[in-house]
Amino acid sequence: MDSNKWKENSVFIISLLLTLIFIIWGVFFTENLAKVTNAVYNASIDYLGWVYLGATLFFVIFSIYLLFSKYGNIRLGRKTDKPDFSTGSWLAMLFGAGMGIGIVYWSVAEPVTHYTAPPYGKAYTAHAANTAMKFTFFHWGLDPWAIYTVIGLALAFFQYNKRLPAAISSAFHPVLGDRIHGPIGKTIDILSIFATVFGIATSLGLGAMQVTAGMHDIFGIPNTLFMQLVVIGVATVLFIISINTGLEKGIKYLSNAAIILSIAIMLLILLVGPALTVIQVFFNTMGLYIGDFIEMSLRLNPFGEGEWIASWTLFYWAWWIAWAPFVGMFIARVSKGRTVREFVIGVLIFPTIGTCLWMSVFGGSALELVQNQANHDLAKHIAENVSLSIFIFFDYLPLSSLLSILGFAVVAIYYITVADTATFVLGMLSEGGTLNPSNKIKMTWGVIQSALAAVLLTAGGLNVLQTASIAAALPFAIIMVIMCFSLLRGLKNEAEAQKGNKRSMGINTTKTS
Amino acid sequence: MIFDESHSLNKVPVSTMILNIDSLKKGILKKKKDPFQFQSFYLTCLHLEGKGVLAVKLYQVRKGQFVYYNNELHKVYGVKHMYKLSVHLLKLRDLSQHITNAASVEKYIPKELDSFIFNHKAYTLINNRKPEAGDYILINNPDPDTLDHYSLNDIEVVEKVDKNGIITSDADGIKHNEYLLMVPGRAPDGRPIDYQDMANIEEDNFDEAGQITYGELSAKLGDIYKNKESDSLFEAMVVAIKGQTVYLGGGLGLSQEELMDTNKWEFQFNPFDNSDS
């Protein structure tokens, strides 16, 4: 009986222990943690950079291949399944899930920071502004969405077409067979949970910094580490209450509200801001992005300083990969009944255009402010106060207090919905892919992810958050590359099975039409 | 807002409001729209003589509710707020679609031991039995997790049962307190809920097992049925109907009842039928 229980819960227990060891390390040996993460950070520049770059470019190529492949017509789910959501709300949900807190946090900060410290060329010039926008598109464009496409498609396909549990290990069924239920499958699940916890903790850490900055801007509350920890604590209590009282439905409405509010903010800025510049920035940067895509994708600067690449490109790639099991699970859940082609268009192409538009609106308006009006001190100020950046930017626009309050609301809502959904996803992953994770396990993950975010913030803020996800995501990046081949084999089998089934398929299609 | 004076107070309203007629004229009470809840409020107004006051009855129709319409049990599958006929119904007995307004339906909350016909087959709602793969469930108490999307009174098929709940064939995770099991047949101590007013239904519509005979449910010319007992693929079209006997292509003659037994024959589609209802 006991050994059975251990077998059932081994994934949960081992991944929990690993995370706990990390937290204890952070609490009692904070300096040591900061030192080690620093060493990892430097090593990642020297040794791991090419792994991340290569893997991510591969995901982009693989997703585009799927879009045009003969597997495009395979439906995720039964052949008669219809999508659960209208295409409009599906796209909105994908966009909201993939970007969440980050897009608010970085949309002004990133272009302006690149402008003051560009990857190459002279700072504070028009050229630097264009380069800044180009790299912002690059970091938020095809690459993150290709990562989500791969993992979301794999999860959806093996869950709905092969009727396997909603776990990452299920995606390896064509390669491993029934060994996905054995030690190899469990190791895969443990590594995916480990990466996910860090991805979520990074987002929660950024979110807590952003919420505190918002409160500082609107209510004048001090912007300190202590307040950030209070924010994490309060949010933890809130979503634990929601897990236990059936307020989950409320969370769903909140996340819809966040998406609607963010689109409202974007439109508002377009109205009150420099709309013409925004449109020009969108077109111009799109051209630069597409033109230099391959060069940026493989850029490593072997004979010079790799600092910039590590703290931006590598951090993003690692963060997206660490985030991927969480987002992939969500994307898979809302995409049942779509075909593979629809899926790739919906997850790769549309959100890429959406994020680029978003970045043009925020980044374009902010750069207009600092470049065309030669306000270099403002640029410096923004780059030095990253978590305050969006509120500083709002202060220079008409209706600034309205925008600040809306922006704060969006960040706060995203924070709570991400934290809540994360507990559910971690519960599912750690209980062998069940769709009914128990509340105890969900609450345990809720507390753990908050504790981890708090520890990382205490150990050194943003830098430690970034480094931690770079380190934790590496094994999972390799798992994802193998996953692509497994997915391809699964799709091939499915296409062959469907060919043999033409007769019954004919009847089904007549029936539904 | 829909004002329907023909309805009297014998309807049971969700809540009753008395309003000053002037405030109503000014349009203070407006139709509520809630995109997430799929609900619709309708007001039925009566003049209370000489007082200048309206008694307003408020019906709240939501997606998923079981309702009686024309005395028969239906499920609301959609509410389109902008239209006069805003309530879209599915007759549970044969899954045909109907459309009406909120004032002509009457809500019913299904309970344990209620029995009804769903898709030509009788089921009784049971709470204390463990479901097995293949069973139907009625989700009467939905509490979906963040990533689930089922809603009130959805009927789903069980695919897997675990200790916390069940997984349905639509990949929803449903906890054990959220559903009632639909057991085939009518339990002896069960209540048939197919009709709102049993008195008006002729006794002979029920056979000894309490099963309602088919009447209008009969096979139509052109219907294609699949034999479920045959090992090889066996599909046939209804080519003639003579009284209670149905003739299928290939010269097979059988009674209406036999054809309606979903264990033996399963309706596939009718190539000539393009109407929705």
Side-chain angles (χ1 to χ4, degrees), chain A residues 63-77:
Chain A
S63 314
I64 293 172
Y65 162 71
L66 284 180
L67 178 61
F68 295 106
S69 74
K70 62 179 171 181
Y71 309 123
N73 293 325
I74 293 177
R75 193 173 289 283
L76 301 169

Side-chain angles (χ1 to χ4, degrees), chain A residues 423-492:
Chain A
T423 58
F424 182 72
V425 170
L426 286 171
M428 271 161 79
L429 290 176
S430 59
E431 280 196 284
T434 174
L435 293 174
N436 290 309
S438 73
N439 278 356
K440 266 189 225 154
I441 288 187
K442 272 159 70 178
M443 280 193 300
T444 313
W445 282 123
V447 173
I448 293 289
Q449 72 193 18
S450 297
L452 188 61
V455 166
L456 292 173
L457 275 182
T458 317
L462 191 59
N463 282 337
V464 177
L465 286 174
Q466 292 182 342
T467 315
S469 39
I470 291 182
L474 188 74
F476 194 66
I478 294 158
I479 286 180
M480 276 189 65
V481 174
I482 305 168
M483 185 190 280
C484 288
F485 292 102
S486 183
L487 173 64
L488 202 60
R489 201 186 279 186
L491 287 171
K492 205 173 154 195

Side-chain angles (χ1 to χ4, degrees), chain A residues 78 84 163 252 333 336, chain B residues 145 148-149 159 169-171:
Chain A
R78 283 162 297 203
D84 289 318
R163 317 307 284 178
K252 222 177 240 183
R333 292 292 284 155
K336 197 179 67 175
Chain B
D145 272 311
D148 286 327
H149 32 259
E159 189 170 279
S169 60
D170 273 348

Side-chain angles (χ1 to χ4, degrees), chain A residues 41 44 52-53 105-106 110 139-140 198-199 202-203 206 307-322 462-471 473:
Chain A
Y41 185 74
S44 73
Y52 279 120
L53 289 186
Y105 190 93
W106 290 112
E110 177 165 358
H139 292 148
W140 292 84
F198 277 89
T202 307
S203 286
L206 291 181
E307 184 83 15
W308 192 93
I309 297 163
S311 63
W312 289 103
T313 310
L314 294 187
F315 157 63
Y316 274 126
W317 285 189
W319 187 27
W320 301 141
I321 289 170
L462 191 59
N463 282 337
V464 177
L465 286 174
Q466 292 182 342
T467 315
S469 39
I470 291 182

Side-chain angles (χ1 to χ4, degrees), chain B residues 139-179:
Chain B
I139 306 167
N140 66 329
N141 179 28
D143 180 18
D145 272 311
T146 330
L147 295 185
D148 286 327
H149 32 259
Y150 52 87
S151 56
L152 180 68
N153 289 340
D154 276 356
I155 293 175
E156 295 205 25
V157 181
V158 177
E159 189 170 279
K160 225 161 75 188
V161 185
D162 61 30
K163 63 178 196 298
N164 291 321
I166 55 179
I167 316 285
T168 68
S169 60
D170 273 348
D172 283 316
I174 296 163
K175 286 179 270 321
H176 287 310
N177 62 351
E178 294 182 64
Y179 63 88

